[in-house]
Amino acid sequence: EPVSSVHPAPAPLKAGKSERVRPMTEAKMNQAPKVGLRELAVVLTPLLTLVLTLVALYSSMPPIEAAQRADLLQAVTPPHSLADMNLLRVVVARYAEGSQAKVAALISCTYMLMVMCAVPGATTLAFLSGAIFGVYRATLLLQFSITAGASLCYLVSRCFGRALALWLWPRKVLAFRSEVAKRRSNLLNYILFLRITPFVPNTFVNVVSPVVDIPFHLFAIGTCLGTLPNNFIAANMGLKLATVTSFAELYDYRVLMFGIAAGVVILVPTFLGAEAGKLLKEK
């Protein structure tokens, strides 16, 4: 009902804390962001650096022997089996004996690119890292790689992925936006929950997070901490490749329990912090 001239319009309210953390409206979500030179530089600089680093690493690696090249092609050709995985492990481990740092950098850059572009097969690289570098070094390598790759995916999606995300998953994006809006005051523990649990695909989280206005720093921190248990388990499974005869034997209940415990340890403080914040607000 229009406001009559007898009743003056109410004065606009000052933007308080609740206004500042208000989730984006649907119109804002559908609106394409302005992409300037600064935004392009933020996206293209790390992306070009990654691609050029991969090219330089491939070019500087010593030539592979014909027999090893044949084994490598056999190992990476689908369908993959445990024998293929072990063959790949043997070839790469032999190749890494004289240039372990370069192989680690090559695996890391390839892993980043696969995570950024949502290319399947990153789990194979995780197993391979554990088999070649050991559990702890492989876990650190995987943590860096997956955090950097997911962050690059976030930056690309923030500039160019809004329309694609809404075209691919229109209903899921709206549902995800609603869930994020409910947890706007404690987004970090929600991101940790998404990363530790398998309910929402990581690719969806990487692409849609900037669309629903999840801050980059919370996204990066949540990704780094939340993927730690899974990366540790994958590296440990890779270490056992040479000693098992089936994929089922890769699963060690002690390592799985440790991963679950680590996930709980990561999640509990964030939930306790959120509950303490609610109590302080109520008082």
Short mmCIF file of all heavy atoms in Angstrom, two decimals, residues 158-200:
data_model
loop_
_atom_site.label_atom_id
_atom_site.label_comp_id
_atom_site.label_asym_id
_atom_site.label_seq_id
_atom_site.Cartn_x
_atom_site.Cartn_y
_atom_site.Cartn_z
N ARG A 158 34.66 -17.03 -9.22
CA ARG A 158 34.19 -15.71 -8.79
C ARG A 158 34.10 -14.75 -9.97
O ARG A 158 33.22 -13.89 -10.00
CB ARG A 158 35.12 -15.14 -7.72
CG ARG A 158 34.61 -13.83 -7.12
CD ARG A 158 35.39 -13.43 -5.90
NE ARG A 158 36.78 -13.11 -6.21
CZ ARG A 158 37.66 -12.70 -5.29
NH1 ARG A 158 37.28 -12.62 -4.02
NH2 ARG A 158 38.89 -12.44 -5.63
N CYS A 159 34.98 -14.89 -10.93
CA CYS A 159 34.98 -14.00 -12.09
C CYS A 159 34.13 -14.51 -13.25
O CYS A 159 33.46 -13.72 -13.92
CB CYS A 159 36.41 -13.77 -12.58
SG CYS A 159 37.43 -12.80 -11.46
N PHE A 160 34.17 -15.82 -13.47
CA PHE A 160 33.56 -16.34 -14.70
C PHE A 160 32.56 -17.46 -14.48
O PHE A 160 31.92 -17.89 -15.45
CB PHE A 160 34.66 -16.87 -15.64
CG PHE A 160 35.78 -15.90 -15.89
CD1 PHE A 160 37.03 -16.12 -15.35
CD2 PHE A 160 35.58 -14.76 -16.64
CE1 PHE A 160 38.07 -15.24 -15.56
CE2 PHE A 160 36.60 -13.86 -16.86
CZ PHE A 160 37.86 -14.10 -16.33
N GLY A 161 32.43 -17.98 -13.26
CA GLY A 161 31.65 -19.21 -13.07
C GLY A 161 30.24 -19.05 -12.60
O GLY A 161 29.52 -20.06 -12.45
N ARG A 162 29.78 -17.83 -12.38
CA ARG A 162 28.43 -17.65 -11.82
C ARG A 162 27.36 -18.20 -12.76
O ARG A 162 26.49 -18.97 -12.34
CB ARG A 162 28.20 -16.16 -11.54
CG ARG A 162 26.90 -15.86 -10.81
CD ARG A 162 26.79 -14.37 -10.55
NE ARG A 162 27.92 -13.91 -9.76
CZ ARG A 162 27.94 -13.87 -8.44
NH1 ARG A 162 26.88 -14.27 -7.75
NH2 ARG A 162 28.99 -13.42 -7.80
N ALA A 163 27.41 -17.80 -14.02
CA ALA A 163 26.39 -18.26 -14.98
C ALA A 163 26.47 -19.77 -15.17
O ALA A 163 25.44 -20.45 -15.27
CB ALA A 163 26.57 -17.54 -16.31
N LEU A 164 27.69 -20.31 -15.20
CA LEU A 164 27.86 -21.75 -15.38
C LEU A 164 27.27 -22.52 -14.20
O LEU A 164 26.58 -23.53 -14.39
CB LEU A 164 29.34 -22.09 -15.54
CG LEU A 164 29.69 -23.57 -15.70
CD1 LEU A 164 29.07 -24.13 -16.97
CD2 LEU A 164 31.19 -23.78 -15.68
N ALA A 165 27.53 -22.04 -12.98
CA ALA A 165 27.02 -22.73 -11.80
C ALA A 165 25.49 -22.71 -11.78
O ALA A 165 24.85 -23.72 -11.47
CB ALA A 165 27.57 -22.07 -10.54
N LEU A 166 24.89 -21.56 -12.12
CA LEU A 166 23.44 -21.47 -12.12
C LEU A 166 22.81 -22.29 -13.24
O LEU A 166 21.67 -22.74 -13.13
CB LEU A 166 23.02 -20.00 -12.25
CG LEU A 166 23.33 -19.12 -11.03
CD1 LEU A 166 23.05 -17.66 -11.34
CD2 LEU A 166 22.52 -19.57 -9.82
N TRP A 167 23.56 -22.49 -14.33
CA TRP A 167 23.06 -23.31 -15.43
C TRP A 167 23.16 -24.80 -15.10
O TRP A 167 22.25 -25.57 -15.41
CB TRP A 167 23.84 -22.99 -16.70
CG TRP A 167 23.43 -23.81 -17.88
CD1 TRP A 167 22.24 -23.76 -18.55
CD2 TRP A 167 24.21 -24.83 -18.53
NE1 TRP A 167 22.24 -24.68 -19.58
CE2 TRP A 167 23.43 -25.36 -19.59
CE3 TRP A 167 25.49 -25.34 -18.32
CZ2 TRP A 167 23.89 -26.36 -20.43
CZ3 TRP A 167 25.95 -26.35 -19.15
CH2 TRP A 167 25.16 -26.85 -20.19
N LEU A 168 24.27 -25.20 -14.46
CA LEU A 168 24.47 -26.61 -14.14
C LEU A 168 23.61 -27.08 -12.97
O LEU A 168 23.02 -28.16 -13.01
CB LEU A 168 25.95 -26.86 -13.83
CG LEU A 168 26.93 -26.83 -14.98
CD1 LEU A 168 28.36 -26.96 -14.46
CD2 LEU A 168 26.63 -27.93 -15.98
N TRP A 169 23.58 -26.28 -11.90
CA TRP A 169 22.90 -26.71 -10.66
C TRP A 169 21.96 -25.60 -10.14
O TRP A 169 22.17 -25.07 -9.04
CB TRP A 169 23.93 -27.02 -9.57
CG TRP A 169 25.06 -27.88 -10.00
CD1 TRP A 169 25.02 -29.19 -10.36
CD2 TRP A 169 26.46 -27.50 -10.09
NE1 TRP A 169 26.27 -29.66 -10.65
CE2 TRP A 169 27.18 -28.65 -10.50
CE3 TRP A 169 27.16 -26.32 -9.85
CZ2 TRP A 169 28.55 -28.64 -10.69
CZ3 TRP A 169 28.53 -26.31 -10.04
CH2 TRP A 169 29.22 -27.44 -10.46
N PRO A 170 20.93 -25.22 -10.89
CA PRO A 170 20.09 -24.09 -10.43
C PRO A 170 19.44 -24.32 -9.06
O PRO A 170 19.49 -23.46 -8.19
CB PRO A 170 19.05 -23.96 -11.54
CG PRO A 170 19.07 -25.27 -12.27
CD PRO A 170 20.45 -25.79 -12.15
N ARG A 171 18.85 -25.51 -8.87
CA ARG A 171 18.18 -25.78 -7.59
C ARG A 171 19.19 -25.99 -6.46
O ARG A 171 18.97 -25.53 -5.34
CB ARG A 171 17.28 -27.01 -7.73
CG ARG A 171 16.11 -26.82 -8.69
CD ARG A 171 15.23 -28.05 -8.73
NE ARG A 171 14.10 -27.87 -9.64
CZ ARG A 171 13.19 -28.80 -9.88
NH1 ARG A 171 13.28 -29.98 -9.27
NH2 ARG A 171 12.19 -28.56 -10.71
N LYS A 172 20.28 -26.68 -6.77
CA LYS A 172 21.28 -26.94 -5.74
C LYS A 172 21.95 -25.64 -5.28
O LYS A 172 22.27 -25.49 -4.09
CB LYS A 172 22.33 -27.92 -6.26
CG LYS A 172 21.80 -29.33 -6.47
CD LYS A 172 22.89 -30.27 -6.95
CE LYS A 172 22.36 -31.69 -7.14
NZ LYS A 172 23.43 -32.61 -7.62
N VAL A 173 22.16 -24.72 -6.21
CA VAL A 173 22.77 -23.44 -5.83
C VAL A 173 21.85 -22.67 -4.89
O VAL A 173 22.30 -22.10 -3.89
CB VAL A 173 23.11 -22.61 -7.08
CG1 VAL A 173 23.52 -21.19 -6.70
CG2 VAL A 173 24.22 -23.27 -7.88
N LEU A 174 20.56 -22.66 -5.19
CA LEU A 174 19.61 -21.97 -4.33
C LEU A 174 19.54 -22.63 -2.95
O LEU A 174 19.47 -21.95 -1.92
CB LEU A 174 18.22 -21.96 -4.98
CG LEU A 174 18.08 -21.10 -6.24
CD1 LEU A 174 16.68 -21.26 -6.83
CD2 LEU A 174 18.35 -19.63 -5.93
N ALA A 175 19.55 -23.97 -2.93
CA ALA A 175 19.52 -24.68 -1.64
C ALA A 175 20.80 -24.41 -0.85
O ALA A 175 20.75 -24.20 0.37
CB ALA A 175 19.35 -26.17 -1.88
N PHE A 176 21.92 -24.40 -1.53
CA PHE A 176 23.20 -24.14 -0.86
C PHE A 176 23.24 -22.71 -0.34
O PHE A 176 23.73 -22.45 0.77
CB PHE A 176 24.34 -24.39 -1.84
CG PHE A 176 25.71 -24.34 -1.21
CD1 PHE A 176 26.01 -25.11 -0.11
CD2 PHE A 176 26.71 -23.54 -1.74
CE1 PHE A 176 27.27 -25.08 0.47
CE2 PHE A 176 27.96 -23.50 -1.18
CZ PHE A 176 28.26 -24.28 -0.08
N ARG A 177 22.71 -21.78 -1.12
CA ARG A 177 22.66 -20.38 -0.66
C ARG A 177 21.82 -20.25 0.61
O ARG A 177 22.18 -19.52 1.54
CB ARG A 177 22.07 -19.50 -1.76
CG ARG A 177 22.07 -18.01 -1.43
CD ARG A 177 21.13 -17.23 -2.30
NE ARG A 177 19.75 -17.63 -2.08
CZ ARG A 177 18.70 -16.99 -2.59
NH1 ARG A 177 18.88 -15.96 -3.38
NH2 ARG A 177 17.48 -17.40 -2.33
N SER A 178 20.72 -21.01 0.66
CA SER A 178 19.87 -20.97 1.84
C SER A 178 20.60 -21.53 3.06
O SER A 178 20.52 -20.96 4.16
CB SER A 178 18.59 -21.77 1.58
OG SER A 178 17.79 -21.84 2.74
N GLU A 179 21.34 -22.63 2.89
CA GLU A 179 22.09 -23.20 4.00
C GLU A 179 23.20 -22.25 4.47
O GLU A 179 23.44 -22.12 5.68
CB GLU A 179 22.70 -24.54 3.57
CG GLU A 179 21.68 -25.64 3.32
CD GLU A 179 20.88 -25.98 4.56
OE1 GLU A 179 21.48 -26.04 5.65
OE2 GLU A 179 19.66 -26.17 4.44
N VAL A 180 23.87 -21.61 3.54
CA VAL A 180 24.93 -20.66 3.90
C VAL A 180 24.33 -19.47 4.64
O VAL A 180 24.92 -18.96 5.61
CB VAL A 180 25.69 -20.20 2.64
CG1 VAL A 180 26.60 -19.01 2.94
CG2 VAL A 180 26.50 -21.36 2.08
N ALA A 181 23.15 -19.00 4.21
CA ALA A 181 22.51 -17.86 4.87
C ALA A 181 22.15 -18.19 6.32
O ALA A 181 22.27 -17.33 7.21
CB ALA A 181 21.25 -17.47 4.10
N LYS A 182 21.75 -19.44 6.58
CA LYS A 182 21.41 -19.83 7.95
C LYS A 182 22.63 -19.84 8.86
O LYS A 182 22.53 -19.63 10.06
CB LYS A 182 20.78 -21.23 7.96
CG LYS A 182 19.44 -21.33 7.26
CD LYS A 182 18.98 -22.78 7.25
CE LYS A 182 17.70 -22.95 6.44
NZ LYS A 182 17.30 -24.39 6.35
N ARG A 183 23.80 -20.07 8.27
CA ARG A 183 25.03 -20.22 9.06
C ARG A 183 26.01 -19.09 8.79
O ARG A 183 27.21 -19.26 8.93
CB ARG A 183 25.69 -21.57 8.72
CG ARG A 183 24.80 -22.76 9.05
CD ARG A 183 25.30 -24.02 8.38
NE ARG A 183 24.55 -25.20 8.81
CZ ARG A 183 23.39 -25.56 8.30
NH1 ARG A 183 22.84 -24.85 7.31
NH2 ARG A 183 22.75 -26.64 8.74
N ARG A 184 25.48 -17.94 8.40
CA ARG A 184 26.34 -16.82 8.02
C ARG A 184 27.25 -16.39 9.17
O ARG A 184 28.38 -15.94 8.94
CB ARG A 184 25.45 -15.65 7.58
CG ARG A 184 26.16 -14.40 7.11
CD ARG A 184 26.99 -14.60 5.88
NE ARG A 184 26.24 -15.09 4.73
CZ ARG A 184 26.77 -15.26 3.53
NH1 ARG A 184 28.05 -15.00 3.33
NH2 ARG A 184 26.04 -15.71 2.54
N SER A 185 26.80 -16.55 10.42
CA SER A 185 27.60 -16.09 11.56
C SER A 185 28.69 -17.10 11.96
O SER A 185 29.59 -16.75 12.72
CB SER A 185 26.70 -15.83 12.76
OG SER A 185 25.99 -17.01 13.11
N ASN A 186 28.61 -18.34 11.49
CA ASN A 186 29.65 -19.34 11.81
C ASN A 186 29.95 -20.19 10.59
O ASN A 186 29.82 -21.42 10.60
CB ASN A 186 29.22 -20.22 13.00
CG ASN A 186 27.86 -20.86 12.77
OD1 ASN A 186 27.17 -20.54 11.81
ND2 ASN A 186 27.50 -21.78 13.64
N LEU A 187 30.39 -19.51 9.54
CA LEU A 187 30.62 -20.19 8.27
C LEU A 187 31.81 -21.15 8.31
O LEU A 187 31.82 -22.16 7.61
CB LEU A 187 30.86 -19.15 7.16
CG LEU A 187 29.62 -18.61 6.44
CD1 LEU A 187 30.02 -17.58 5.40
CD2 LEU A 187 28.85 -19.74 5.78
N LEU A 188 32.81 -20.84 9.13
CA LEU A 188 34.01 -21.67 9.13
C LEU A 188 33.71 -23.10 9.51
O LEU A 188 34.16 -24.05 8.84
CB LEU A 188 35.07 -21.08 10.07
CG LEU A 188 36.37 -21.88 10.14
CD1 LEU A 188 37.02 -22.01 8.76
CD2 LEU A 188 37.35 -21.24 11.12
N ASN A 189 32.94 -23.31 10.58
CA ASN A 189 32.66 -24.68 10.98
C ASN A 189 31.74 -25.38 9.97
O ASN A 189 31.81 -26.60 9.80
CB ASN A 189 32.06 -24.75 12.39
CG ASN A 189 30.75 -24.00 12.49
OD1 ASN A 189 30.64 -22.89 11.99
ND2 ASN A 189 29.77 -24.59 13.13
N TYR A 190 30.93 -24.61 9.23
CA TYR A 190 30.11 -25.22 8.19
C TYR A 190 30.98 -25.69 7.02
O TYR A 190 30.77 -26.78 6.48
CB TYR A 190 29.05 -24.22 7.70
CG TYR A 190 28.12 -24.79 6.65
CD1 TYR A 190 27.40 -25.95 6.89
CD2 TYR A 190 27.97 -24.16 5.42
CE1 TYR A 190 26.55 -26.47 5.93
CE2 TYR A 190 27.12 -24.68 4.45
CZ TYR A 190 26.41 -25.83 4.71
OH TYR A 190 25.57 -26.35 3.76
N ILE A 191 31.97 -24.88 6.64
CA ILE A 191 32.89 -25.28 5.57
C ILE A 191 33.71 -26.50 6.00
O ILE A 191 33.95 -27.42 5.22
CB ILE A 191 33.81 -24.10 5.18
CG1 ILE A 191 32.97 -22.95 4.63
CG2 ILE A 191 34.83 -24.53 4.13
CD1 ILE A 191 33.75 -21.68 4.42
N LEU A 192 34.15 -26.50 7.25
CA LEU A 192 34.88 -27.66 7.76
C LEU A 192 34.02 -28.92 7.69
O LEU A 192 34.49 -29.99 7.30
CB LEU A 192 35.32 -27.41 9.20
CG LEU A 192 36.46 -26.42 9.41
CD1 LEU A 192 36.64 -26.14 10.90
CD2 LEU A 192 37.75 -26.95 8.83
N PHE A 193 32.75 -28.76 8.05
CA PHE A 193 31.82 -29.90 7.98
C PHE A 193 31.68 -30.40 6.54
O PHE A 193 31.69 -31.62 6.29
CB PHE A 193 30.46 -29.48 8.53
CG PHE A 193 29.39 -30.52 8.37
CD1 PHE A 193 29.32 -31.60 9.22
CD2 PHE A 193 28.44 -30.42 7.35
CE1 PHE A 193 28.34 -32.58 9.07
CE2 PHE A 193 27.46 -31.38 7.19
CZ PHE A 193 27.41 -32.45 8.05
N LEU A 194 31.56 -29.48 5.59
CA LEU A 194 31.43 -29.86 4.19
C LEU A 194 32.67 -30.60 3.68
O LEU A 194 32.57 -31.55 2.90
CB LEU A 194 31.18 -28.63 3.32
CG LEU A 194 29.85 -27.90 3.51
CD1 LEU A 194 29.80 -26.65 2.63
CD2 LEU A 194 28.67 -28.81 3.19
N ARG A 195 33.85 -30.15 4.12
CA ARG A 195 35.09 -30.75 3.63
C ARG A 195 35.35 -32.10 4.27
O ARG A 195 35.87 -33.01 3.62
CB ARG A 195 36.26 -29.81 3.92
CG ARG A 195 36.26 -28.52 3.12
CD ARG A 195 36.21 -28.79 1.63
NE ARG A 195 36.56 -27.62 0.85
CZ ARG A 195 36.48 -27.56 -0.46
NH1 ARG A 195 36.04 -28.59 -1.15
NH2 ARG A 195 36.83 -26.46 -1.12
N ILE A 196 35.03 -32.26 5.54
CA ILE A 196 35.32 -33.52 6.24
C ILE A 196 34.32 -34.61 5.85
O ILE A 196 34.70 -35.77 5.68
CB ILE A 196 35.33 -33.29 7.76
CG1 ILE A 196 36.53 -32.42 8.15
CG2 ILE A 196 35.39 -34.61 8.51
CD1 ILE A 196 36.57 -32.02 9.59
N THR A 197 33.06 -34.24 5.69
CA THR A 197 32.03 -35.22 5.37
C THR A 197 31.88 -35.35 3.85
O THR A 197 32.18 -34.42 3.11
CB THR A 197 30.68 -34.82 5.98
OG1 THR A 197 30.32 -33.52 5.48
CG2 THR A 197 30.78 -34.75 7.50
N PRO A 198 31.39 -36.50 3.36
CA PRO A 198 31.28 -36.72 1.92
C PRO A 198 29.92 -36.34 1.33
O PRO A 198 29.60 -36.76 0.21
CB PRO A 198 31.50 -38.24 1.80
CG PRO A 198 30.90 -38.78 3.07
CD PRO A 198 31.12 -37.73 4.13
N PHE A 199 29.11 -35.56 2.05
CA PHE A 199 27.74 -35.32 1.61
C PHE A 199 27.66 -34.39 0.38
O PHE A 199 26.78 -34.56 -0.46
CB PHE A 199 26.91 -34.72 2.75
CG PHE A 199 26.87 -35.59 3.97
CD1 PHE A 199 27.22 -35.10 5.22
CD2 PHE A 199 26.51 -36.92 3.88
CE1 PHE A 199 27.20 -35.91 6.35
CE2 PHE A 199 26.48 -37.75 5.00
CZ PHE A 199 26.83 -37.24 6.23
N VAL A 200 28.55 -33.41 0.30
CA VAL A 200 28.53 -32.45 -0.82
C VAL A 200 29.83 -32.59 -1.59
O VAL A 200 30.91 -32.53 -0.99
CB VAL A 200 28.36 -31.00 -0.31
CG1 VAL A 200 28.32 -30.02 -1.48
CG2 VAL A 200 27.10 -30.87 0.54
#
